[in-house]
Amino acid sequence: MVSPAWLFLTGIAALLAVDGIKADKGYDERWPSDFSAEGVLIKNLLEGYNKRAGKYARPVFNHTHAVPVRLMLQLIQIIDLDEKNQVLKLNLWTNYYWIDEFLRWNPDDYAGVSEIRIPSDLIWTPDIKLYNYADTRKDERRDALCVLSYDGNITWGPQGIYMSSCEINVNTFPFDKQTCHLKFGSWTYDGSKLNLSFYGEKEQMITDDYFVPNKAWTVLETPGKRTVEMYTCCPNPYIDITYTVVFRRSATFYTYILIVPCVLLTTLTLVLYWIPPESPTKMALGMSIFMAFFVLLLLFEGNMPPASEDVPILGTYYCLNMILITTSTFLNVFVVNLSFYGSRAAIPKLMKTVMFEYVARILCMDNLVRPFLEADKKRLIPVAIPGLGLVNGGNGKFQKNWKGSTELLSNRKDELQIDPQLAEIDSKLADVKEFIAAYFERLDDKDRREKLAKEWKAVGLIFDRLFFWIYLVTILTSLSVVLSVIFLGS
């Protein structure tokens, strides 16, 4: 049998064990055993909180005091920068810190509980909004619990996807550096009701938790500025904090799809001046290069905002190259026209002198024009053909110095009547002389036309070489200017 003493001692031990378990789990005789100290604390706080108008009244005993709210932003990711719509999309952690004078307790009264967490929609929260939002959603934040401390300090850190309007500067695209602003402030409480300020000493957006770096953009700096501003709607000033995000574009991708093809097509345009004027591929290549530039310009336009105050320098370079290609096509038509249809008239003397004696020497084309200059000197010396006259004389025409057969027969009629055979021979000789004279005249005219055609073709080749150097200097100058402006401007 069990002794009564042993039963008494066993009961005392069981009671002590139960008291120990209750103490470890935060139980107290002041509330039911199925409630924890934290649960009773939350129940008591919210009941008293709701009696004081709950989440609709500012958490201050004196209504003339402003609620101090401190803000800290943490940049998690640059999701996208939509250049066409000029919208910046960021993943941010917004951390709010303020003091609620109605949510204070003594930890000793609740088993040492000094910190609790409750939903944000059960208490007063600051109505901090992004002023320059560009979002069609109703809410940009994800709900998060508020952390309450026994001294009334509240920490609230909801995560959100913020879409803000951002003015895009495409002047130095794709080596551009963009500056976007995010303006946060209370929407209904002016500065006398809510005092917004930075959290801690760092007046900037925190980038230590930049978990997902964006391959297209590199963050340079994220300064913040607190401003007090008056609005036309309200008599009292409002306080806001504006964060500035400065980031640079990674231009590697655009270099391969926009810049390198542009430089290669520009260089390919020089080939137009190396193709002979009589080749039909000269014009076809020029039009093909123009269409390729047009396709590049469409690809370039796809990354630009529809309305921008600045004109991209690279786009200006594209247009300049298209103008140069169009001009080169016209010039090639001019050269082809000179080469094929230049024999209709002689080259003007002044033009011939300038092109053959000066421009050709500057362009190192002496071998091309030397035969024409030597032929002109020979034409100044008359060549005499016995019995026919001067050929290739001063005016280049056959000059007669003999009398025709009709005149000869009339003067020597008496002599020819004596010998009819002599008259017949003399008539045949006169026909031969006329035929030879006409033949030499046709040869002289043919040589003159061929010489004019060759001279015009030489002028066309000189123009071709001149346009080549002008185009080369133009594209090199424009490319150096464009790249220097882009790199210095970025």
Side-chain angles (χ1 to χ4, degrees), residues 129-276:
K129 302 295 183 181
L130 177 63
Y131 281 21
N132 58 327
Y133 76 98
D135 198 351
T136 57
R137 298 172 300 171
K138 294 182 178 180
D139 190 8
E140 68 268 355
R141 293 182 304 204
R142 294 185 178 181
D143 194 15
L145 296 176
C146 292
V147 180
L148 282 64
S149 181
Y150 71 95
D151 56 359
N153 283 285
I154 299 178
T155 302
W156 183 36
Q159 183 185 18
I161 304 298
Y162 291 87
M163 300 175 63
S164 65
S165 59
C166 178
E167 185 178 355
I168 305 298
N169 184 2
V170 296
N171 189 32
T172 56
F173 177 86
F175 303 95
D176 52 338
K177 182 172 64 176
Q178 301 297 337
T179 301
C180 297
H181 305 280
L182 288 89
K183 185 176 181 180
F184 290 89
S186 175
W187 193 252
T188 57
Y189 293 112
D190 55 51
S192 63
K193 303 293 189 299
L194 190 148
N195 184 16
L196 184 62
S197 61
F198 290 98
Y199 177 78
E201 299 179 354
K202 292 185 177 180
E203 297 183 355
Q204 62 181 5
M205 189 182 298
I206 306 301
T207 57
D208 298 338
D209 298 322
Y210 189 44
F211 296 143
V212 188
N214 193 297
K215 301 298 182 181
W217 300 97
T218 302
V219 179
L220 301 180
E221 54 181 341
T222 56
K225 183 181 180 181
R226 180 180 182 271
T227 57
V228 179
E229 189 172 352
M230 294 291 298
Y231 296 95
T232 55
C233 66
C234 311
N236 297 324
Y238 279 72
I239 301 175
D240 64 78
I241 293 180
T242 302
Y243 290 93
T244 302
V245 183
V246 182
F247 42 91
R248 186 189 303 277
R249 188 194 304 270
S250 178
T252 304
F253 173 73
Y254 297 98
T255 300
Y256 284 109
I257 68 171
L258 292 178
I259 298 179
V260 173
C262 177
V263 175
L264 294 179
L265 287 175
T266 303
T267 307
L268 188 61
T269 310
L270 297 174
V271 180
L272 290 175
Y273 300 100
W274 297 344
I275 301 176

